[in-house]
Structure formats: structure tokens, C-alpha cells
PDB file of all heavy atoms in Angstrom:
ATOM      1  N   LEU A 284      70.331 136.198 200.246  1.00  0.00           N
ATOM      2  CA  LEU A 284      71.479 136.918 200.726  1.00  0.00           C
ATOM      3  C   LEU A 284      71.997 137.923 199.698  1.00  0.00           C
ATOM      4  O   LEU A 284      72.160 137.616 198.518  1.00  0.00           O
ATOM      5  CB  LEU A 284      72.641 135.972 201.051  1.00  0.00           C
ATOM      6  CG  LEU A 284      73.961 136.577 201.428  1.00  0.00           C
ATOM      7  CD1 LEU A 284      73.879 137.268 202.791  1.00  0.00           C
ATOM      8  CD2 LEU A 284      75.072 135.531 201.471  1.00  0.00           C
ATOM      9  N   TYR A 285      72.175 139.180 200.175  1.00  0.00           N
ATOM     10  CA  TYR A 285      72.999 140.147 199.427  1.00  0.00           C
ATOM     11  C   TYR A 285      74.244 140.393 200.216  1.00  0.00           C
ATOM     12  O   TYR A 285      74.208 140.775 201.376  1.00  0.00           O
ATOM     13  CB  TYR A 285      72.253 141.483 199.252  1.00  0.00           C
ATOM     14  CG  TYR A 285      73.168 142.548 198.617  1.00  0.00           C
ATOM     15  CD1 TYR A 285      73.245 142.680 197.214  1.00  0.00           C
ATOM     16  CD2 TYR A 285      73.985 143.311 199.391  1.00  0.00           C
ATOM     17  CE1 TYR A 285      74.109 143.589 196.629  1.00  0.00           C
ATOM     18  CE2 TYR A 285      74.877 144.246 198.792  1.00  0.00           C
ATOM     19  CZ  TYR A 285      74.932 144.370 197.445  1.00  0.00           C
ATOM     20  OH  TYR A 285      75.780 145.227 196.858  1.00  0.00           O
ATOM     21  N   GLN A 286      75.436 140.167 199.580  1.00  0.00           N
ATOM     22  CA  GLN A 286      76.686 140.468 200.248  1.00  0.00           C
ATOM     23  C   GLN A 286      77.459 141.459 199.379  1.00  0.00           C
ATOM     24  O   GLN A 286      77.425 141.438 198.167  1.00  0.00           O
ATOM     25  CB  GLN A 286      77.510 139.219 200.463  1.00  0.00           C
ATOM     26  CG  GLN A 286      77.995 138.489 199.237  1.00  0.00           C
ATOM     27  CD  GLN A 286      79.039 137.437 199.536  1.00  0.00           C
ATOM     28  OE1 GLN A 286      78.725 136.421 200.089  1.00  0.00           O
ATOM     29  NE2 GLN A 286      80.262 137.733 199.178  1.00  0.00           N
ATOM     30  N   GLY A 287      78.161 142.375 200.032  1.00  0.00           N
ATOM     31  CA  GLY A 287      78.935 143.364 199.312  1.00  0.00           C
ATOM     32  C   GLY A 287      78.583 144.764 199.706  1.00  0.00           C
ATOM     33  O   GLY A 287      77.831 144.991 200.682  1.00  0.00           O
ATOM     34  N   ALA A 288      79.113 145.722 198.952  1.00  0.00           N
ATOM     35  CA  ALA A 288      78.865 147.124 199.274  1.00  0.00           C
ATOM     36  C   ALA A 288      77.432 147.529 199.075  1.00  0.00           C
ATOM     37  O   ALA A 288      76.804 147.179 198.080  1.00  0.00           O
ATOM     38  CB  ALA A 288      79.784 148.013 198.399  1.00  0.00           C
ATOM     39  N   VAL A 289      76.863 148.207 200.075  1.00  0.00           N
ATOM     40  CA  VAL A 289      75.517 148.739 199.950  1.00  0.00           C
ATOM     41  C   VAL A 289      75.674 150.164 199.370  1.00  0.00           C
ATOM     42  O   VAL A 289      75.566 151.169 200.084  1.00  0.00           O
ATOM     43  CB  VAL A 289      74.816 148.773 201.354  1.00  0.00           C
ATOM     44  CG1 VAL A 289      73.367 149.250 201.219  1.00  0.00           C
ATOM     45  CG2 VAL A 289      74.869 147.400 201.979  1.00  0.00           C
ATOM     46  N   ASN A 290      75.841 150.170 198.057  1.00  0.00           N
ATOM     47  CA  ASN A 290      76.142 151.434 197.342  1.00  0.00           C
ATOM     48  C   ASN A 290      75.073 151.782 196.363  1.00  0.00           C
ATOM     49  O   ASN A 290      74.186 150.963 196.018  1.00  0.00           O
ATOM     50  CB  ASN A 290      77.495 151.326 196.639  1.00  0.00           C
ATOM     51  CG  ASN A 290      78.674 151.463 197.582  1.00  0.00           C
ATOM     52  OD1 ASN A 290      78.550 151.864 198.737  1.00  0.00           O
ATOM     53  ND2 ASN A 290      79.868 151.170 197.078  1.00  0.00           N
ATOM     54  N   GLU A 291      75.160 153.023 195.851  1.00  0.00           N
ATOM     55  CA  GLU A 291      74.275 153.428 194.757  1.00  0.00           C
ATOM     56  C   GLU A 291      74.453 152.493 193.582  1.00  0.00           C
ATOM     57  O   GLU A 291      75.574 151.960 193.335  1.00  0.00           O
ATOM     58  CB  GLU A 291      74.637 154.849 194.320  1.00  0.00           C
ATOM     59  CG  GLU A 291      74.311 155.903 195.353  1.00  0.00           C
ATOM     60  CD  GLU A 291      74.574 157.310 194.839  1.00  0.00           C
ATOM     61  OE1 GLU A 291      74.369 157.528 193.614  1.00  0.00           O
ATOM     62  OE2 GLU A 291      75.059 158.151 195.573  1.00  0.00           O
ATOM     63  N   GLY A 292      73.391 152.298 192.848  1.00  0.00           N
ATOM     64  CA  GLY A 292      73.473 151.463 191.643  1.00  0.00           C
ATOM     65  C   GLY A 292      73.349 149.960 191.857  1.00  0.00           C
ATOM     66  O   GLY A 292      73.487 149.187 190.912  1.00  0.00           O
ATOM     67  N   ARG A 293      73.066 149.547 193.111  1.00  0.00           N
ATOM     68  CA  ARG A 293      72.963 148.098 193.350  1.00  0.00           C
ATOM     69  C   ARG A 293      71.549 147.587 193.447  1.00  0.00           C
ATOM     70  O   ARG A 293      71.224 146.545 193.951  1.00  0.00           O
ATOM     71  CB  ARG A 293      73.734 147.781 194.683  1.00  0.00           C
ATOM     72  CG  ARG A 293      75.151 148.271 194.732  1.00  0.00           C
ATOM     73  CD  ARG A 293      76.012 147.642 193.650  1.00  0.00           C
ATOM     74  NE  ARG A 293      77.331 148.267 193.545  1.00  0.00           N
ATOM     75  CZ  ARG A 293      78.418 147.876 194.187  1.00  0.00           C
ATOM     76  NH1 ARG A 293      78.370 146.829 195.000  1.00  0.00           N
ATOM     77  NH2 ARG A 293      79.587 148.517 194.036  1.00  0.00           N
ATOM     78  N   CYS A 294      70.622 148.392 192.895  1.00  0.00           N
ATOM     79  CA  CYS A 294      69.234 148.000 192.726  1.00  0.00           C
ATOM     80  C   CYS A 294      68.413 147.846 194.007  1.00  0.00           C
ATOM     81  O   CYS A 294      67.383 147.166 194.002  1.00  0.00           O
ATOM     82  CB  CYS A 294      69.119 146.723 191.925  1.00  0.00           C
ATOM     83  SG  CYS A 294      69.677 146.849 190.217  1.00  0.00           S
ATOM     84  N   PHE A 295      68.846 148.488 195.098  1.00  0.00           N
ATOM     85  CA  PHE A 295      68.064 148.408 196.303  1.00  0.00           C
ATOM     86  C   PHE A 295      66.751 149.136 196.164  1.00  0.00           C
ATOM     87  O   PHE A 295      65.747 148.752 196.849  1.00  0.00           O
ATOM     88  CB  PHE A 295      68.861 148.990 197.505  1.00  0.00           C
ATOM     89  CG  PHE A 295      69.987 148.099 197.975  1.00  0.00           C
ATOM     90  CD1 PHE A 295      71.272 148.359 197.610  1.00  0.00           C
ATOM     91  CD2 PHE A 295      69.722 146.964 198.731  1.00  0.00           C
ATOM     92  CE1 PHE A 295      72.339 147.567 198.061  1.00  0.00           C
ATOM     93  CE2 PHE A 295      70.746 146.139 199.137  1.00  0.00           C
ATOM     94  CZ  PHE A 295      72.057 146.425 198.793  1.00  0.00           C
ATOM     95  N   GLU A 296      66.687 150.088 195.300  1.00  0.00           N
ATOM     96  CA  GLU A 296      65.393 150.827 195.071  1.00  0.00           C
ATOM     97  C   GLU A 296      64.313 149.944 194.537  1.00  0.00           C
ATOM     98  O   GLU A 296      63.121 150.176 194.724  1.00  0.00           O
ATOM     99  CB  GLU A 296      65.622 151.996 194.093  1.00  0.00           C
ATOM    100  CG  GLU A 296      66.598 153.027 194.564  1.00  0.00           C
ATOM    101  CD  GLU A 296      68.013 152.819 194.030  1.00  0.00           C
ATOM    102  OE1 GLU A 296      68.405 151.654 193.918  1.00  0.00           O
ATOM    103  OE2 GLU A 296      68.678 153.811 193.751  1.00  0.00           O
ATOM    104  N   THR A 297      64.682 148.825 193.862  1.00  0.00           N
ATOM    105  CA  THR A 297      63.658 147.879 193.361  1.00  0.00           C
ATOM    106  C   THR A 297      63.706 146.563 194.078  1.00  0.00           C
ATOM    107  O   THR A 297      62.672 145.918 194.196  1.00  0.00           O
ATOM    108  CB  THR A 297      63.886 147.636 191.843  1.00  0.00           C
ATOM    109  OG1 THR A 297      65.283 147.264 191.602  1.00  0.00           O
ATOM    110  CG2 THR A 297      63.568 148.892 191.056  1.00  0.00           C
ATOM    111  N   LEU A 298      64.842 146.157 194.620  1.00  0.00           N
ATOM    112  CA  LEU A 298      64.931 144.902 195.346  1.00  0.00           C
ATOM    113  C   LEU A 298      64.129 144.965 196.624  1.00  0.00           C
ATOM    114  O   LEU A 298      63.355 144.028 196.975  1.00  0.00           O
ATOM    115  CB  LEU A 298      66.392 144.606 195.682  1.00  0.00           C
ATOM    116  CG  LEU A 298      66.664 143.425 196.599  1.00  0.00           C
ATOM    117  CD1 LEU A 298      66.154 142.112 196.024  1.00  0.00           C
ATOM    118  CD2 LEU A 298      68.161 143.288 196.917  1.00  0.00           C
ATOM    119  N   ILE A 299      64.231 146.046 197.400  1.00  0.00           N
ATOM    120  CA  ILE A 299      63.529 146.149 198.669  1.00  0.00           C
ATOM    121  C   ILE A 299      62.014 146.125 198.478  1.00  0.00           C
ATOM    122  O   ILE A 299      61.300 145.379 199.163  1.00  0.00           O
ATOM    123  CB  ILE A 299      64.033 147.312 199.473  1.00  0.00           C
ATOM    124  CG1 ILE A 299      65.481 147.026 200.001  1.00  0.00           C
ATOM    125  CG2 ILE A 299      63.101 147.571 200.676  1.00  0.00           C
ATOM    126  CD1 ILE A 299      66.159 148.211 200.627  1.00  0.00           C
ATOM    127  N   PRO A 300      61.443 146.976 197.583  1.00  0.00           N
ATOM    128  CA  PRO A 300      59.992 146.855 197.313  1.00  0.00           C
ATOM    129  C   PRO A 300      59.561 145.455 196.807  1.00  0.00           C
ATOM    130  O   PRO A 300      58.470 144.993 197.113  1.00  0.00           O
ATOM    131  CB  PRO A 300      59.769 147.913 196.259  1.00  0.00           C
ATOM    132  CG  PRO A 300      60.862 148.884 196.415  1.00  0.00           C
ATOM    133  CD  PRO A 300      62.068 148.091 196.822  1.00  0.00           C
ATOM    134  N   ALA A 301      60.425 144.779 196.077  1.00  0.00           N
ATOM    135  CA  ALA A 301      60.103 143.444 195.565  1.00  0.00           C
ATOM    136  C   ALA A 301      59.844 142.435 196.699  1.00  0.00           C
ATOM    137  O   ALA A 301      59.087 141.493 196.581  1.00  0.00           O
ATOM    138  CB  ALA A 301      61.222 142.906 194.699  1.00  0.00           C
ATOM    139  N   MET A 302      60.480 142.695 197.874  1.00  0.00           N
ATOM    140  CA  MET A 302      60.330 141.753 199.003  1.00  0.00           C
ATOM    141  C   MET A 302      58.901 141.737 199.566  1.00  0.00           C
ATOM    142  O   MET A 302      58.537 140.784 200.254  1.00  0.00           O
ATOM    143  CB  MET A 302      61.309 142.128 200.109  1.00  0.00           C
ATOM    144  CG  MET A 302      62.807 141.901 199.742  1.00  0.00           C
ATOM    145  SD  MET A 302      63.179 140.282 199.109  1.00  0.00           S
ATOM    146  CE  MET A 302      62.713 139.272 200.505  1.00  0.00           C
ATOM    147  N   LYS A 303      58.113 142.702 199.197  1.00  0.00           N
ATOM    148  CA  LYS A 303      56.712 142.685 199.633  1.00  0.00           C
ATOM    149  C   LYS A 303      55.976 141.457 199.030  1.00  0.00           C
ATOM    150  O   LYS A 303      55.005 140.959 199.662  1.00  0.00           O
ATOM    151  CB  LYS A 303      55.955 143.961 199.166  1.00  0.00           C
ATOM    152  CG  LYS A 303      56.446 145.233 199.921  1.00  0.00           C
ATOM    153  CD  LYS A 303      55.605 146.414 199.578  1.00  0.00           C
ATOM    154  CE  LYS A 303      55.880 146.872 198.110  1.00  0.00           C
ATOM    155  NZ  LYS A 303      55.137 148.161 197.832  1.00  0.00           N
ATOM    156  N   ASP A 304      56.434 140.987 197.847  1.00  0.00           N
ATOM    157  CA  ASP A 304      55.781 139.909 197.183  1.00  0.00           C
ATOM    158  C   ASP A 304      56.578 138.613 197.207  1.00  0.00           C
ATOM    159  O   ASP A 304      56.312 137.702 196.434  1.00  0.00           O
ATOM    160  CB  ASP A 304      55.529 140.299 195.712  1.00  0.00           C
ATOM    161  CG  ASP A 304      54.631 141.534 195.609  1.00  0.00           C
ATOM    162  OD1 ASP A 304      53.591 141.554 196.296  1.00  0.00           O
ATOM    163  OD2 ASP A 304      54.933 142.441 194.810  1.00  0.00           O
ATOM    164  N   VAL A 305      57.577 138.535 198.086  1.00  0.00           N
ATOM    165  CA  VAL A 305      58.381 137.326 198.168  1.00  0.00           C
ATOM    166  C   VAL A 305      58.311 136.835 199.619  1.00  0.00           C
ATOM    167  O   VAL A 305      58.584 137.546 200.595  1.00  0.00           O
ATOM    168  CB  VAL A 305      59.868 137.641 197.844  1.00  0.00           C
ATOM    169  CG1 VAL A 305      60.725 136.402 198.020  1.00  0.00           C
ATOM    170  CG2 VAL A 305      59.987 138.182 196.442  1.00  0.00           C
ATOM    171  N   ASP A 306      57.897 135.579 199.768  1.00  0.00           N
ATOM    172  CA  ASP A 306      57.719 135.011 201.126  1.00  0.00           C
ATOM    173  C   ASP A 306      59.052 134.425 201.613  1.00  0.00           C
ATOM    174  O   ASP A 306      59.259 133.204 201.705  1.00  0.00           O
ATOM    175  CB  ASP A 306      56.648 133.878 201.071  1.00  0.00           C
ATOM    176  CG  ASP A 306      56.295 133.373 202.472  1.00  0.00           C
ATOM    177  OD1 ASP A 306      56.647 134.062 203.457  1.00  0.00           O
ATOM    178  OD2 ASP A 306      55.768 132.259 202.558  1.00  0.00           O
ATOM    179  N   CYS A 307      59.965 135.353 201.930  1.00  0.00           N
ATOM    180  CA  CYS A 307      61.287 134.946 202.378  1.00  0.00           C
ATOM    181  C   CYS A 307      61.988 136.171 202.991  1.00  0.00           C
ATOM    182  O   CYS A 307      61.572 137.295 202.796  1.00  0.00           O
ATOM    183  CB  CYS A 307      62.119 134.462 201.138  1.00  0.00           C
ATOM    184  SG  CYS A 307      63.552 133.455 201.547  1.00  0.00           S
ATOM    185  N   THR A 308      63.065 135.884 203.704  1.00  0.00           N
ATOM    186  CA  THR A 308      63.808 136.979 204.355  1.00  0.00           C
ATOM    187  C   THR A 308      65.020 137.352 203.507  1.00  0.00           C
ATOM    188  O   THR A 308      65.697 136.463 202.933  1.00  0.00           O
ATOM    189  CB  THR A 308      64.330 136.549 205.726  1.00  0.00           C
ATOM    190  OG1 THR A 308      63.204 136.211 206.531  1.00  0.00           O
ATOM    191  CG2 THR A 308      65.091 137.629 206.422  1.00  0.00           C
ATOM    192  N   LEU A 309      65.328 138.648 203.385  1.00  0.00           N
ATOM    193  CA  LEU A 309      66.511 139.144 202.719  1.00  0.00           C
ATOM    194  C   LEU A 309      67.503 139.557 203.799  1.00  0.00           C
ATOM    195  O   LEU A 309      67.236 140.424 204.646  1.00  0.00           O
ATOM    196  CB  LEU A 309      66.169 140.316 201.819  1.00  0.00           C
ATOM    197  CG  LEU A 309      67.358 141.094 201.233  1.00  0.00           C
ATOM    198  CD1 LEU A 309      68.152 140.198 200.246  1.00  0.00           C
ATOM    199  CD2 LEU A 309      66.874 142.355 200.521  1.00  0.00           C
ATOM    200  N   VAL A 310      68.706 138.967 203.758  1.00  0.00           N
ATOM    201  CA  VAL A 310      69.769 139.308 204.691  1.00  0.00           C
ATOM    202  C   VAL A 310      70.840 140.121 203.905  1.00  0.00           C
ATOM    203  O   VAL A 310      71.315 139.655 202.866  1.00  0.00           O
ATOM    204  CB  VAL A 310      70.424 138.072 205.318  1.00  0.00           C
ATOM    205  CG1 VAL A 310      71.643 138.444 206.175  1.00  0.00           C
ATOM    206  CG2 VAL A 310      69.402 137.296 206.121  1.00  0.00           C
ATOM    207  N   VAL A 311      71.181 141.310 204.380  1.00  0.00           N
ATOM    208  CA  VAL A 311      72.148 142.185 203.722  1.00  0.00           C
ATOM    209  C   VAL A 311      73.394 142.255 204.580  1.00  0.00           C
ATOM    210  O   VAL A 311      73.401 142.743 205.683  1.00  0.00           O
ATOM    211  CB  VAL A 311      71.557 143.607 203.506  1.00  0.00           C
ATOM    212  CG1 VAL A 311      72.580 144.501 202.847  1.00  0.00           C
ATOM    213  CG2 VAL A 311      70.286 143.541 202.661  1.00  0.00           C
ATOM    214  N   CYS A 312      74.497 141.742 204.014  1.00  0.00           N
ATOM    215  CA  CYS A 312      75.819 141.780 204.705  1.00  0.00           C
ATOM    216  C   CYS A 312      76.725 142.781 203.975  1.00  0.00           C
ATOM    217  O   CYS A 312      77.210 142.454 202.860  1.00  0.00           O
ATOM    218  CB  CYS A 312      76.444 140.408 204.713  1.00  0.00           C
ATOM    219  SG  CYS A 312      75.586 139.207 205.698  1.00  0.00           S
ATOM    220  N   GLY A 313      76.954 143.917 204.572  1.00  0.00           N
ATOM    221  CA  GLY A 313      77.787 144.944 203.942  1.00  0.00           C
ATOM    222  C   GLY A 313      77.365 146.327 204.424  1.00  0.00           C
ATOM    223  O   GLY A 313      76.379 146.480 205.130  1.00  0.00           O
ATOM    224  N   ASP A 314      78.117 147.299 203.981  1.00  0.00           N
ATOM    225  CA  ASP A 314      77.816 148.708 204.291  1.00  0.00           C
ATOM    226  C   ASP A 314      78.237 149.523 203.092  1.00  0.00           C
ATOM    227  O   ASP A 314      78.904 149.050 202.176  1.00  0.00           O
ATOM    228  CB  ASP A 314      78.589 149.142 205.573  1.00  0.00           C
ATOM    229  CG  ASP A 314      77.986 150.329 206.239  1.00  0.00           C
ATOM    230  OD1 ASP A 314      77.040 150.958 205.671  1.00  0.00           O
ATOM    231  OD2 ASP A 314      78.414 150.687 207.335  1.00  0.00           O
ATOM    232  N   GLY A 315      77.811 150.801 203.086  1.00  0.00           N
ATOM    233  CA  GLY A 315      78.177 151.643 201.976  1.00  0.00           C
ATOM    234  C   GLY A 315      77.424 152.937 201.944  1.00  0.00           C
ATOM    235  O   GLY A 315      76.681 153.298 202.880  1.00  0.00           O
ATOM    236  N   ASN A 316      77.525 153.648 200.831  1.00  0.00           N
ATOM    237  CA  ASN A 316      77.002 155.008 200.720  1.00  0.00           C
ATOM    238  C   ASN A 316      75.452 155.045 200.536  1.00  0.00           C
ATOM    239  O   ASN A 316      74.889 156.108 200.462  1.00  0.00           O
ATOM    240  CB  ASN A 316      77.708 155.799 199.590  1.00  0.00           C
ATOM    241  CG  ASN A 316      77.581 155.125 198.241  1.00  0.00           C
ATOM    242  OD1 ASN A 316      76.564 154.496 197.871  1.00  0.00           O
ATOM    243  ND2 ASN A 316      78.620 155.254 197.429  1.00  0.00           N
ATOM    244  N   PHE A 317      74.844 153.852 200.397  1.00  0.00           N
ATOM    245  CA  PHE A 317      73.369 153.843 200.210  1.00  0.00           C
ATOM    246  C   PHE A 317      72.680 153.195 201.397  1.00  0.00           C
ATOM    247  O   PHE A 317      71.468 152.939 201.375  1.00  0.00           O
ATOM    248  CB  PHE A 317      73.027 153.072 198.929  1.00  0.00           C
ATOM    249  CG  PHE A 317      71.638 153.306 198.386  1.00  0.00           C
ATOM    250  CD1 PHE A 317      71.338 154.535 197.771  1.00  0.00           C
ATOM    251  CD2 PHE A 317      70.642 152.390 198.535  1.00  0.00           C
ATOM    252  CE1 PHE A 317      70.047 154.797 197.264  1.00  0.00           C
ATOM    253  CE2 PHE A 317      69.347 152.639 198.058  1.00  0.00           C
ATOM    254  CZ  PHE A 317      69.041 153.870 197.404  1.00  0.00           C
ATOM    255  N   MET A 318      73.419 152.963 202.501  1.00  0.00           N
ATOM    256  CA  MET A 318      72.826 152.228 203.620  1.00  0.00           C
ATOM    257  C   MET A 318      71.644 152.991 204.240  1.00  0.00           C
ATOM    258  O   MET A 318      70.595 152.337 204.492  1.00  0.00           O
ATOM    259  CB  MET A 318      73.909 151.990 204.671  1.00  0.00           C
ATOM    260  CG  MET A 318      73.413 151.286 205.913  1.00  0.00           C
ATOM    261  SD  MET A 318      72.678 149.651 205.606  1.00  0.00           S
ATOM    262  CE  MET A 318      74.165 148.649 205.646  1.00  0.00           C
ATOM    263  N   GLN A 319      71.746 154.259 204.462  1.00  0.00           N
ATOM    264  CA  GLN A 319      70.642 154.990 205.078  1.00  0.00           C
ATOM    265  C   GLN A 319      69.444 155.032 204.210  1.00  0.00           C
ATOM    266  O   GLN A 319      68.304 154.813 204.667  1.00  0.00           O
ATOM    267  CB  GLN A 319      71.092 156.410 205.407  1.00  0.00           C
ATOM    268  CG  GLN A 319      70.107 157.121 206.377  1.00  0.00           C
ATOM    269  CD  GLN A 319      69.847 156.344 207.644  1.00  0.00           C
ATOM    270  OE1 GLN A 319      70.749 155.960 208.346  1.00  0.00           O
ATOM    271  NE2 GLN A 319      68.552 156.088 207.931  1.00  0.00           N
ATOM    272  N   GLN A 320      69.669 155.222 202.894  1.00  0.00           N
ATOM    273  CA  GLN A 320      68.482 155.193 201.925  1.00  0.00           C
ATOM    274  C   GLN A 320      67.861 153.814 201.922  1.00  0.00           C
ATOM    275  O   GLN A 320      66.640 153.694 201.858  1.00  0.00           O
ATOM    276  CB  GLN A 320      68.957 155.606 200.557  1.00  0.00           C
ATOM    277  CG  GLN A 320      69.458 157.040 200.476  1.00  0.00           C
ATOM    278  CD  GLN A 320      70.965 157.160 200.617  1.00  0.00           C
ATOM    279  OE1 GLN A 320      71.559 156.545 201.488  1.00  0.00           O
ATOM    280  NE2 GLN A 320      71.550 157.950 199.759  1.00  0.00           N
ATOM    281  N   ALA A 321      68.663 152.760 201.995  1.00  0.00           N
ATOM    282  CA  ALA A 321      68.126 151.423 202.009  1.00  0.00           C
ATOM    283  C   ALA A 321      67.277 151.115 203.200  1.00  0.00           C
ATOM    284  O   ALA A 321      66.179 150.547 203.110  1.00  0.00           O
ATOM    285  CB  ALA A 321      69.289 150.402 201.920  1.00  0.00           C
ATOM    286  N   LYS A 322      67.737 151.629 204.369  1.00  0.00           N
ATOM    287  CA  LYS A 322      66.923 151.426 205.603  1.00  0.00           C
ATOM    288  C   LYS A 322      65.611 152.199 205.519  1.00  0.00           C
ATOM    289  O   LYS A 322      64.588 151.731 206.013  1.00  0.00           O
ATOM    290  CB  LYS A 322      67.756 151.862 206.794  1.00  0.00           C
ATOM    291  CG  LYS A 322      68.868 150.908 207.107  1.00  0.00           C
ATOM    292  CD  LYS A 322      69.667 151.337 208.325  1.00  0.00           C
ATOM    293  CE  LYS A 322      70.783 150.292 208.708  1.00  0.00           C
ATOM    294  NZ  LYS A 322      71.570 150.730 209.852  1.00  0.00           N
ATOM    295  N   THR A 323      65.716 153.376 204.878  1.00  0.00           N
ATOM    296  CA  THR A 323      64.421 154.184 204.703  1.00  0.00           C
ATOM    297  C   THR A 323      63.491 153.463 203.796  1.00  0.00           C
ATOM    298  O   THR A 323      62.247 153.433 204.032  1.00  0.00           O
ATOM    299  CB  THR A 323      64.816 155.561 204.116  1.00  0.00           C
ATOM    300  OG1 THR A 323      65.693 156.241 205.031  1.00  0.00           O
ATOM    301  CG2 THR A 323      63.540 156.375 203.899  1.00  0.00           C
ATOM    302  N   LEU A 324      63.994 152.843 202.707  1.00  0.00           N
ATOM    303  CA  LEU A 324      63.140 152.046 201.794  1.00  0.00           C
ATOM    304  C   LEU A 324      62.455 150.916 202.502  1.00  0.00           C
ATOM    305  O   LEU A 324      61.297 150.590 202.185  1.00  0.00           O
ATOM    306  CB  LEU A 324      63.989 151.597 200.609  1.00  0.00           C
ATOM    307  CG  LEU A 324      64.336 152.595 199.521  1.00  0.00           C
ATOM    308  CD1 LEU A 324      65.432 152.034 198.622  1.00  0.00           C
ATOM    309  CD2 LEU A 324      63.075 152.937 198.706  1.00  0.00           C
ATOM    310  N   VAL A 325      63.118 150.265 203.414  1.00  0.00           N
ATOM    311  CA  VAL A 325      62.564 149.153 204.158  1.00  0.00           C
ATOM    312  C   VAL A 325      61.366 149.673 204.980  1.00  0.00           C
ATOM    313  O   VAL A 325      60.284 149.013 204.984  1.00  0.00           O
ATOM    314  CB  VAL A 325      63.603 148.537 205.097  1.00  0.00           C
ATOM    315  CG1 VAL A 325      62.950 147.608 206.079  1.00  0.00           C
ATOM    316  CG2 VAL A 325      64.659 147.772 204.298  1.00  0.00           C
TER     317      VAL A 325
END
């Protein structure tokens, strides 16, 4: 679980690619100024 603002500087640029090597689901609860970029990274 990630909860909180989906903003710049919250490491989504490295967290989302890391999920390729993790056998688990990541649930993101929140919104913010990096939401569209985060969805693109997915």
C-alpha cells in the first residue's frame, strides 16, 4: 500500500518499475500532481 499525495518526489519513478520484479500488487490511495505521470509509468 502507498497512501498519501501522489506528488513529485515520492519515488514513483523507481517504485513503479520495481514492481516488475515483485510478485505482489501495489495499491495507491491518493491523488496529486504526479498522478498522470504515474499512470504513464505503469
